[in-house]
Amino acid sequence: MTKAGNKGGNLREKLDGNELDLSLSDLNEVPVKELSDFCGLIHLVKLDLSKNKLQQLPADFGRLVNLQHLDLLKNRLVTLPVSFAQLKSLKWLDLKDNPLDPVLAKVAGDCLDEKQCKQCANKVLQHMKVVQADQERERQRRQEVEREAEKKREAKQRAKEAQEREVRKREKAEEKERRRKEYDALKASKREPEKKPKKETNQASKSKSGSRSRKQPPRKHTRSWVVLKLLLLLLLCVAGGLVVCRVTELQQQPLCTSVNTIYDNAMRGLRSHHILQWVLQTDPQQ
């Protein structure tokens, strides 16, 4: 991880109060884990990491909030960590002889004297604050996009659940309606045998009544015809009896005597009627 132990000895020996010199230590990365053993690390004021092989600084390098002087001359740095913007106390910075990103290199400029190194520190801090703000906005934008996406997923899920509930509700209603129809059909099938005999009985009674009503006129006509025949027969009998009692030798018999008496009385009564008299008088003239 580091070759400081081979060339620079113990890091504790290199720490001088608030200053730490790790230059010419052939470092590939900052020995953060080893430096974190020192309680006064955040109190560093001056740090020299020049002439090493550093390709990047730790992401939490901004914890060194009291750092004022930083020498990164002749390393392999391309960019700086975003936390670099937190080094608010930084007054001096040297980034010469590093393969910096063109934008960062233009911002840093040269560090050939005290004034340029101070300008480098100020400009790089401002630049890193802008980068930090941009990244923060991008992070917030991504979070907003993620929240919107999450809201859409939740809304879609709610719509799906509502649709599923509606489908289940409709299926339950259809199942209920199906069962009701089956129940009604079953009840109707049970009532059908009861209605059928009654219906047949009603139809039979209606047919009988209809047949009776249709046959009644002939029967009534037949009955009156029979009565008429009986009356004619009775009249014939009476006429025959009267003729027998008036003409034959039986007129002296008690029965014929009574019949003749009734006949004579009837004829006298009819003759006493003035209309009949008029009829009887006109007949002889004719």
Side-chain angles (χ1 to χ4, degrees):
M1 183 170 113
T2 176
K3 297 180 181 179
N6 297 330
K7 290 191 176 184
N10 196 302
L11 292 177
R12 188 183 294 275
E13 295 176 358
K14 294 179 177 291
L15 185 62
D16 183 11
N18 293 332
E19 298 181 2
L20 179 61
D21 186 1
L22 294 175
S23 61
L24 298 171
S25 298
D26 200 21
L27 296 175
N28 293 319
E29 58 183 9
V30 177
V32 178
K33 293 183 179 179
E34 296 182 36
L35 290 175
S36 62
D37 293 337
F38 297 91
C39 297
L41 178 62
I42 61 173
H43 300 294
L44 282 177
V45 174
K46 183 177 181 180
L47 177 59
D48 189 352
L49 293 171
S50 62
K51 299 178 182 179
N52 283 293
K53 299 177 182 179
L54 299 174
Q55 296 182 8
Q56 61 181 8
L57 296 178
D60 59 346
F61 193 79
R63 291 173 58 195
L64 304 176
V65 293
N66 293 306
L67 192 62
Q68 299 179 12
H69 188 285
L70 177 59
D71 192 347
L72 295 170
L73 172 69
K74 202 174 184 179
N75 277 281
R76 299 176 181 176
L77 297 172
V78 177
T79 59
L80 298 174
V82 178
S83 64
F84 199 91
Q86 299 173 12
L87 301 178
K88 299 179 180 180
S89 301
L90 191 63
K91 306 296 182 183
W92 193 97
L93 176 62
D94 188 358
L95 287 171
K96 291 192 306 296
D97 298 331
N98 280 282
L100 296 174
D101 177 81
V103 177
L104 181 58
K106 184 177 180 180
V107 171
D110 292 328
C111 183
L112 301 176
D113 54 28
E114 189 73 15
K115 182 180 179 180
Q116 288 182 341
C117 292
K118 288 182 178 181
Q119 289 178 348
C120 177
N122 184 49
K123 290 181 179 179
V124 169
L125 274 178
Q126 295 300 321
H127 174 71
M128 294 309 298
K129 286 180 181 178
V130 172
V131 172
Q132 185 182 42
D134 290 343
Q135 289 194 359
E136 180 63 22
R137 283 193 294 271
E138 180 63 20
R139 185 184 65 81
Q140 291 179 356
R141 188 191 68 80
R142 287 197 301 269
Q143 288 181 348
E144 184 65 23
V145 170
E146 291 176 357
R147 282 195 294 269
E148 290 296 326
E150 183 64 24
K151 287 181 181 179
K152 289 182 180 179
R153 285 194 295 269
E154 291 177 355
K156 188 175 180 180
Q157 181 65 25
R158 287 194 296 270
K160 183 179 179 181
E161 292 175 354
Q163 186 177 7
E164 291 177 351
R165 286 195 298 270
E166 188 64 24
V167 170
R168 289 195 295 269
K169 184 178 179 181
R170 187 167 60 251
E171 289 177 350
K172 287 182 179 179
E174 291 175 354
E175 179 66 18
K176 186 177 180 180
E177 181 65 16
R178 185 184 65 79
R179 291 182 178 179
R180 186 187 66 79
K181 288 182 178 179
E182 290 180 353
Y183 177 73
D184 292 344
L186 182 61
K187 288 180 66 178
S189 63
K190 288 182 178 179
R191 288 195 300 266
E192 189 65 23
E194 298 176 358
K195 287 184 176 181
K196 191 172 181 181
K198 293 181 179 179
K199 188 175 181 181
E200 292 177 352
T201 304
N202 294 333
Q203 289 179 351
S205 61
K206 287 181 180 180
S207 61
K208 286 182 178 180
S209 62
S211 61
R212 288 176 181 175
S213 62
R214 285 192 299 270
K215 293 179 179 179
Q216 276 176 358
R219 186 174 299 176
K220 185 176 181 181
H221 180 72
T222 305
R223 185 182 300 171
S224 60
W225 180 247
V226 171
V227 172
L228 182 59
K229 285 182 176 181
L230 290 175
L231 289 176
L232 290 174
L233 182 61
L234 181 61
L235 289 175
L236 289 174
C237 291
V238 171
L242 183 59
V243 170
V244 169
C245 289
R246 297 290 293 180
V247 176
T248 64
E249 297 176 354
L250 296 176
Q251 57 184 343
Q252 299 300 325
Q253 295 294 325
L255 178 60
C256 286
T257 301
S258 299
V259 171
N260 291 329
T261 302
I262 292 171
Y263 174 77
D264 293 336
N265 291 332
M267 290 303 294
R268 282 193 296 270
L270 290 173
R271 288 192 184 95
S272 63
H273 199 279
H274 63 279
I275 296 175
L276 186 60
Q277 288 179 359
W278 178 79
V279 172
L280 294 174
Q281 289 175 1
T282 55
D283 286 339
Q285 294 177 358
Q286 293 177 355

